[in-house]
Amino acid sequence: MSRTLKFNIFRFNPEDPNSVPHTDTFTLEETPSLTLFIALNKIREEQDPSLIFDFACRMAICGSCGMIINGRPGLACKTLTSELPTEITLMPLPVFKLVGDLSVDTGTWFRETNTKIESWIHNDQDFDAQAIEERMENDLANAIFELERCIECGCCVASCGTANMRPDFVGAFALNRIARFIMDPRDQRTNSEYFEVVGNDQGVFGCMGLLACEDVCPREIPLQDQLGILRRKMAFQGLKNLFKPKVTGRERRF
Amino acid sequence: MEHETFYTDLLCVGAGLAGERVAIEAAAAGFDAILLSLVPARRSHSCAAEGGMQAALGNCAMGEGDSPDVHFADTVKGSDWGCDQECARIFADTAPIAVREAAHWGMPWNRVVAGKAKYWKGGEEFEAEEKKEKHGLITARAFGGTAKWRTCYTADGTGHTLLYTLDNKITSLGVHVHDRVEAISLIHDGENCMGCVARDLKTGKLRVYLAKATLIATGGYGRLYSETTNTVINEGGGHIIALDTGLVPFGNPEAVQFHPTGVVPTNILVTEGCRGDGGTLLDVDEKRFMDKYEPAKAELASRDVVSRWMMYHIAQGKGVPSPYGDHLWLDIRHLGEKHITTKLREVYDLCRHFLGVNPITQLIPVRPAQHYSMGGVRTNSDGAAYGLKGLFSAGESSCWDMHGFNRLGGNSLAETIVAGRHVGIKVAEFLKGAEVTFKTELATQALAADAERIERLVRGADGNENVYAIKDAMQQVMMDKVGIFRNGDDLQAAVDTLREIYAKALKIGLKSNGIGANPELALALKMPGMVRLAICVAYGAQMRTESRGCHARDDYPARNDRDWLNRTLAYWTDLEADLPELKYEPSTQVMYLPPGDRGYGKTEIIPMDAPKED
Ligand SMILES: Cc1cc2nc3c(=O)[nH]c(=O)nc-3n(C[C@H](O)[C@H](O)[C@H](O)COP(=O)(O)OP(=O)(O)OC[C@H]3O[C@@H](n4cnc5c(N)ncnc54)[C@H](O)[C@@H]3O)c2cc1C
Ligand code: SF4
Ligand code: SF4
Ligand code: FES
């Protein structure tokens, strides 16, 4: 019953002058409930200790282990080998800078993008330690959480045609993030301020709407809905900006 | 030597919730801060916390009448009187503020919905009326060991949402996070801590960080055990570099918590929220048993108690046989599809993806697994480490010590931002008065020592022991002999074996070339330190001849307040030795709540004033 699995793994160590990009092949006997997390660790511990890959939570919650699994971006920890054919090909995610083998630098990319889209609540009020909290409807809290569930794994970015072509495209992840802030009454940015951040080709208007991102999202976040809503909002805002007297410094560009 | 040097006011080693919360305070006071992390900050272990965090807001119907006093009492009882009561007091008083502050920064806490609501307890349904005037305020769920419903949550993604909220805050304040950078030794002159030597995990290059204040917020040391719910990066890195100074003690290393509901076989955690929301534990006959052992609290006794009864029940032949050993069942089916797919959504996903089990219709196989490290870098109530000025610690890596010998569920996330806030204010005060002259020759020496360690490992100068084999051997000993139930013989055997493993750990040689982001080198650099920590845990447990909280000795079943109402301090003063030096201090200086019965977990108690036998 047990299958012999063949792993074709992309190898390249950019720090090693003798390293050239190539594929190494490893074989492993399949065991019940084998995940790629367990398999890769076995390969590293028993066959090649130099193999570089990333895992942290090993429970599909931290976003560390995105990679291209038989041609498709996904989380390695969440992938059971039983879902795959005996020949398994693993490649690092594109778009992000390669650290080595299957590991890419998502941290820098996400931090830069989050800084660019100002991914935080904009609010002038100081916190009052004596006061009770502002009220919020529970349904709204849940709706915010629904979008907040993104784990920044990078799968949507890796699968995105635009992101693969233009390095400054912020990706479905960021548009989802902005949608989350638009929904949140604690964020006092106006539509035109959001427009500043994503109302351009690096943002909503760069998206070709081909759905690849939502297809691969391991958290099943409704990315398309958010893109659609945002696109309409931003297109409308773009029109409004055309006819508005161009006063503030931030809006002068339009 | 090729390396980069960074200067900063505050260096946080660790960018989980605790590190970030401290950094926010320093940054808000105008200091610059750099955070180091093994992984991007948002991938820190904190993101995996599901269930929620305790703060006595008293908004929901079942939380009515709650107050910091009640929270304090629960925490002290939970700790089995092993905690520092001054810290527990600061903690309980500050928790509501810290939770509201997080809301101010964007945390989507679940809220009270006015009107009649259905809840479950011990497998039975009941109704509660949520008050109109509380509508929209932060709500709470039940967790083990609490008198009131006090655990604030965002569905079962509380750690994730909180970490993202704080990381957003950090980003807005311009705090720098250097991710994939690992601290490998502290720079100090025997009195003052001045930063650390670190290795860039992307390139393998060494770095020097010079800082006026250094914070250790590196989380727990769960990966000393083979079966743990912890992230793979919880290897005790911060404890190692602190202990290696020979000056900073490891407080209560033996206080290691097992969580009742790790799933079999992967040890992935299903949240205590399952039992809090009314889930029950069943045995091989699909019968409840916790209500028999603990009539009052049943599944909602504290974790140490529930874990022990589970193992006991399995030992009575009531476990469910499986290829991975015996286990028990967690039943949440009666909570219904809507509850499971919303409030326990992570659990729903985890069960389906990792177990192929649908918890709406099927039982979840569970068994206790290592979960939390109560022990850590010993600090005072300001978070200042013993032994070195300018060194602080907060969060799971610290022994600030509000958890004593057992942490209550929901009290750790709360600790990260409550202690983080408190310690952050103290760090800012320290920075205001800090006059530091960096002694660069110390940095150069520390750097050279680490470069030499690396060079010897790559060359195999000390031997060719396999680092992975050593890790496996250590984890297995810890699991088999320093687990839920302990006894003198096992602990003696554990210490002996660990000392042998330690001798090998000093002779590791790399199989690969060690170039760049090499993972074998990263592990080899900390492996001897990990075995030192394991020895501290096992030896501390061996010497503590009583049972308290999670430290359960078959041969000393009573909690002995007469002789052991104290905290272990393990020092690794002699670097040539293979055992730490153990000292003890009273567990608390102020005693608001004198030792008594916890109200669950029937244990014999030898009172403080009991006369000595013999
Ligand atoms: C599955 C799970 C569920 C949980 N659920 C709950 C819950 O519902 N409620 C609750 O109260 N608690 C819960 N806990 C416990 C709680 O999540 C943790 O105790 C808490 O998040 C620890 O936070 P921290 O900031 O101290 O450390 P962590 O979040 O562990 O952060 C440690 C940081 O240190 C860095 N680091 C480590 N070593 C080094 C080094 N050498 N150099 C540089 N950086 C380093 C890491 O990269 C990371 O950034 C849960 C734990 C688990 C395992
Ligand atoms: S939106 Fe989905 S695919 Fe994209 S980063 Fe977030 S979790 Fe990953
Ligand atoms: S729909 Fe837009 S964001 Fe998503 S993959 Fe296509 S181009 Fe990229
Ligand atoms: S390891 Fe965390 S998502 Fe896979």
Side-chain angles (χ1 to χ4, degrees):
Chain A
M1 269 287 279
S2 143
R3 303 190 299 169
T4 304
L5 303 174
K6 187 172 159 206
F7 288 87
N8 306 314
I9 300 179
F10 174 83
R11 303 299 303 273
F12 179 52
N13 182 347
E15 294 294 321
D16 183 352
N18 296 322
S19 174
V20 282
H22 67 284
T23 303
D24 275 347
T25 302
F26 302 92
T27 50
L28 200 67
E29 286 301 306
E30 189 170 40
T31 49
S33 318
L34 185 69
T35 62
L36 290 182
F37 163 70
I38 302 171
L40 283 169
N41 275 284
K42 269 198 178 158
I43 293 173
R44 176 151 84 193
E45 293 182 11
E46 292 162 12
Q47 303 186 35
D48 186 343
S50 69
L51 184 62
I52 305 168
F53 54 76
D54 296 320
F55 289 95
C57 70
R58 53 88 177 93
M59 58 196 274
I61 244 174
C62 76
S64 291
C65 64
M67 58 182 72
I68 305 284
I69 305 161
N70 282 353
R72 190 185 155 86
L75 296 180
C77 68
K78 193 180 160 181
T79 306
L80 293 160
T81 54
S82 59
E83 295 162 2
L84 301 171
T86 51
E87 186 150 350
I88 298 168
T89 302
L90 302 177
M91 309 274 285
L93 290 182
V95 182
F96 305 98
K97 186 168 176 241
L98 184 76
V99 172
D101 301 341
L102 299 175
S103 166
V104 295
D105 183 4
T106 45
T108 306
W109 193 93
F110 278 103
R111 190 160 290 280
E112 278 172 5
T113 310
N114 277 320
T115 307
K116 190 151 77 184
I117 63 167
E118 302 190 9
S119 155
W120 56 83
I121 295 277
H122 290 53
N123 191 325
D124 305 331
Q125 276 157 293
D126 284 335
F127 171 68
D128 177 356
Q130 304 314 316
I132 63 159
E133 64 272 21
E134 293 267 340
R135 286 170 205 263
M136 181 184 268
E137 286 301 320
N138 194 48
D139 287 343
L140 178 58
N142 279 327
I144 293 174
F145 176 60
E146 180 64 22
L147 304 189
E148 185 99 317
R149 290 168 50 256
C150 164
I151 53 175
E152 302 192 349
C153 66
C155 289
C156 60
V157 179
S159 73
C160 170
T162 309
N164 273 286
M165 282 178 323
R166 25 181 329 161
D168 58 355
F169 182 57
V170 295
F173 125 83
L175 303 175
N176 173 67
R177 187 71 83 222
I178 286 296
R180 174 245 178 273
F181 285 108
I182 290 181
M183 192 185 278
D184 194 328
R186 291 169 295 198
D187 193 331
Q188 295 169 344
R189 275 179 280 187
T190 60
N191 274 347
S192 73
E193 282 167 302
Y194 290 123
F195 186 81
E196 271 297 311
V197 191
V198 290
N200 48 35
D201 285 350
Q202 298 158 24
V204 271
F205 303 126
C207 164
M208 304 183 290
L210 297 177
L211 275 152
C213 49
E214 181 164 323
D215 265 8
V216 299
C217 175
R219 305 285 284 173
E220 293 162 18
I221 293 175
L223 294 171
Q224 278 312 306
D225 295 356
Q226 298 318 316
L227 280 169
I229 296 167
L230 212 60
R231 187 194 278 275
R232 281 196 297 283
K233 260 206 166 109
M234 291 301 115
F236 184 64
Q237 186 60 40
L239 281 176
K240 256 171 65 183
N241 287 351
L242 277 179
F243 297 107
K244 225 167 43 188
K246 293 166 182 148
V247 273
T248 71
R250 300 193 83 194
E251 274 170 358
R252 204 168 306 133
R253 266 202 292 141
F254 299 95
Chain B
M1 216 169 304
E2 194 197 350
H3 73 276
E4 281 180 286
T5 303
F6 299 85
Y7 294 88
T8 183
D9 295 325
L10 170 64
L11 174 70
C12 296
V13 183
L17 283 169
E20 296 212 323
R21 187 62 193 83
V22 171
I24 289 172
E25 218 52 60
F31 297 101
D32 42 79
I34 296 178
L35 297 141
L36 308 185
S37 173
L38 303 176
V39 289
R42 295 177 177 208
R43 313 224 191 286
S44 298
H45 176 59
S46 290
C47 78
E50 298 165 7
M53 56 187 281
Q54 292 200 44
L57 296 170
N59 290 330
C60 68
M62 299 296 289
E64 240 171 76
D66 201 10
S67 72
D69 293 342
V70 186
H71 189 182
F72 167 78
D74 284 346
T75 302
V76 175
K77 287 181 196 165
S79 81
D80 222 355
W81 276 272
C83 75
D84 186 319
Q85 296 193 16
E86 189 190 342
C87 293
R89 192 72 247 184
I90 297 171
F91 164 73
D93 288 346
T94 320
I97 299 173
V99 161
R100 289 177 174 136
E101 187 174 49
H104 184 73
W105 292 337
M107 178 73 180
W109 296 113
N110 276 88
R111 304 292 174 139
V112 175
V113 180
K116 284 198 181 18
K118 280 197 171 54
Y119 298 107
W120 288 86
K121 198 177 174 187
E124 270 158 53
E125 201 180 64
F126 69 97
E127 210 173 60
E129 174 86 22
E130 298 293 350
K131 289 207 172 116
K132 253 207 197 88
E133 68 264 28
K134 301 287 187 186
H135 183 82
L137 297 179
I138 298 169
T139 191
R141 60 166 38 133
F143 254 47
T146 66
K148 302 279 175 188
W149 289 23
R150 183 188 300 131
T151 305
C152 309
Y153 61 95
T154 302
D156 56 0
T158 315
H160 170 88
T161 40
L162 191 58
L163 186 59
Y164 277 54
T165 301
L166 290 202
D167 200 56
N168 283 340
K169 184 77 190 164
I170 291 273
T171 313
S172 78
L173 288 169
V175 172
H176 306 283
V177 180
H178 295 187
D179 72 40
R180 292 178 178 246
V181 174
E182 175 161 27
I184 57 172
S185 64
L186 288 178
I187 301 170
H188 67 94
D189 62 2
E191 265 171 52
N192 303 291
C193 183
M194 278 165 265
C196 78
V197 179
R199 178 166 168 266
D200 180 338
L201 299 177
K202 290 181 213 161
T203 63
K205 294 199 176 74
L206 291 183
R207 294 178 168 193
V208 167
Y209 286 89
L210 291 169
K212 292 180 187 155
T214 304
L215 174 86
I216 292 190
T218 49
Y221 43 91
R223 289 278 157 182
L224 298 182
Y225 286 82
S226 59
E227 270 147 59
T228 170
T229 63
N230 284 199
T231 321
V232 297
I233 57 171
N234 281 15
E235 300 186 312
H239 304 85
I240 295 172
I241 58 177
L243 192 66
D244 279 2
T245 62
L247 302 163
V248 181
F250 185 1
N252 279 348
E254 68 271 34
V256 176
Q257 179 177 75
F258 283 72
H259 193 295
T261 56
V263 303
V264 180
T266 54
N267 300 305
I268 290 173
L269 182 84
V270 288
T271 173
E272 183 160 330
C274 289
R275 279 169 296 133
D277 289 0
T280 50
L281 292 167
L282 307 180
D283 62 17
V284 65
D285 308 321
E286 302 195 9
K287 284 219 175 72
R288 264 184 98 196
F289 54 91
M290 276 308 300
D291 52 336
K292 304 204 178 60
Y293 295 123
E294 293 291 332
K297 288 249 160 201
E299 279 86 355
L300 289 177
S302 62
R303 289 176 178 174
D304 53 342
V305 172
V306 179
S307 295
R308 271 200 301 280
W309 285 128
M310 288 171 75
M311 297 312 283
Y312 177 81
H313 203 63
I314 289 176
Q316 304 307 302
K318 292 290 186 183
V320 184
S322 88
Y324 306 99
D326 289 0
H327 63 75
L328 294 158
W329 298 116
L330 174 66
D331 184 7
I332 59 171
R333 295 172 301 183
H334 49 282
L335 303 182
E337 177 164 357
K338 174 143 188 277
H339 189 109
I340 294 173
T341 54
T342 54
K343 282 194 183 162
L344 296 172
R345 175 176 184 149
E346 294 297 342
V347 172
Y348 179 61
D349 286 347
L350 291 174
C351 288
R352 284 179 310 143
H353 292 306
F354 293 94
L355 291 173
V357 161
N358 180 351
I360 299 172
T361 54
Q362 290 171 291
L363 298 171
I364 309 168
V366 293
R367 185 171 53 205
Q370 190 288 339
H371 181 63
Y372 187 80
S373 315
M374 270 84 65
V377 177
R378 177 67 185 138
T379 72
N380 66 13
S381 62
D382 291 350
Y386 283 22
L388 273 181
K389 245 184 271 158
L391 184 67
F392 296 81
S393 182
E396 189 170 345
S397 62
S398 75
C399 181
W400 184 50
D401 206 7
M402 52 162 287
H403 305 301
F405 274 78
N406 175 64
R407 161 175 87 81
L408 293 182
N411 257 0
S412 172
L413 280 189
E415 178 188 15
T416 61
I417 60 167
V418 177
R421 191 176 194 275
H422 178 78
V423 173
I425 292 169
K426 299 294 173 185
V427 167
E429 276 169 21
F430 172 86
L431 285 170
K432 272 178 204 134
E435 285 284 342
V436 183
T437 37
F438 294 126
K439 299 174 187 144
T440 37
E441 75 275 14
L442 283 174
T444 315
Q445 277 166 23
L447 185 72
D450 283 321
E452 195 195 329
R453 274 167 73 199
I454 291 174
E455 194 262 334
R456 295 186 77 85
L457 284 166
V458 173
R459 196 153 51 86
D462 302 309
N464 58 2
E465 292 291 343
N466 179 332
V467 67
Y468 296 109
I470 289 172
K471 187 178 178 187
D472 279 354
M474 172 196 73
Q475 290 177 331
Q476 213 49 57
V477 179
M478 294 300 284
M479 203 64 214
D480 293 346
K481 304 224 181 307
V482 202
I484 298 188
F485 291 109
R486 303 167 172 185
N487 66 64
D489 292 344
D490 278 356
L491 292 170
Q492 180 67 55
V495 171
D496 292 346
T497 315
L498 287 168
R499 292 167 83 172
E500 287 162 21
I501 294 173
Y502 183 57
K504 287 191 185 167
L506 298 176
K507 298 199 179 85
I508 292 169
L510 293 197
K511 307 276 175 272
S512 58
N513 63 15
I515 296 175
N518 186 283
E520 191 190 15
L521 176 57
L523 184 59
L525 277 170
K526 68 192 147 201
M527 203 61 237
M530 284 177 78
V531 185
R532 281 197 284 275
L533 298 185
I535 294 176
C536 289
V537 176
Y539 189 49
Q542 186 189 1
M543 292 300 128
R544 184 172 286 272
T545 48
E546 66 152 355
S547 292
R548 183 181 298 275
C550 68
H551 174 68
R553 291 274 305 245
D554 298 335
D555 45 355
Y556 294 93
R559 188 182 91 202
N560 183 342
D561 292 334
R562 181 190 61 203
D563 304 318
W564 289 105
L565 198 55
N566 61 17
R567 176 178 304 107
T568 307
L569 298 177
Y571 290 83
W572 209 284
T573 25
D574 178 4
L575 285 178
E576 302 297 310
D578 60 2
L579 271 186
E581 189 186 337
L582 300 187
K583 295 181 185 167
Y584 295 91
E585 65 175 2
S587 53
T588 188
Q589 296 293 339
V590 270
M591 182 90 79
Y592 300 109
L593 195 67
D597 183 31
R598 297 165 95 186
Y600 47 78
K602 304 165 207 134
T603 36
E604 192 193 327
I605 298 170
I606 300 173
M608 274 160 85
D609 51 6
K612 294 231 184 226
E613 289 134 31
D614 74 21

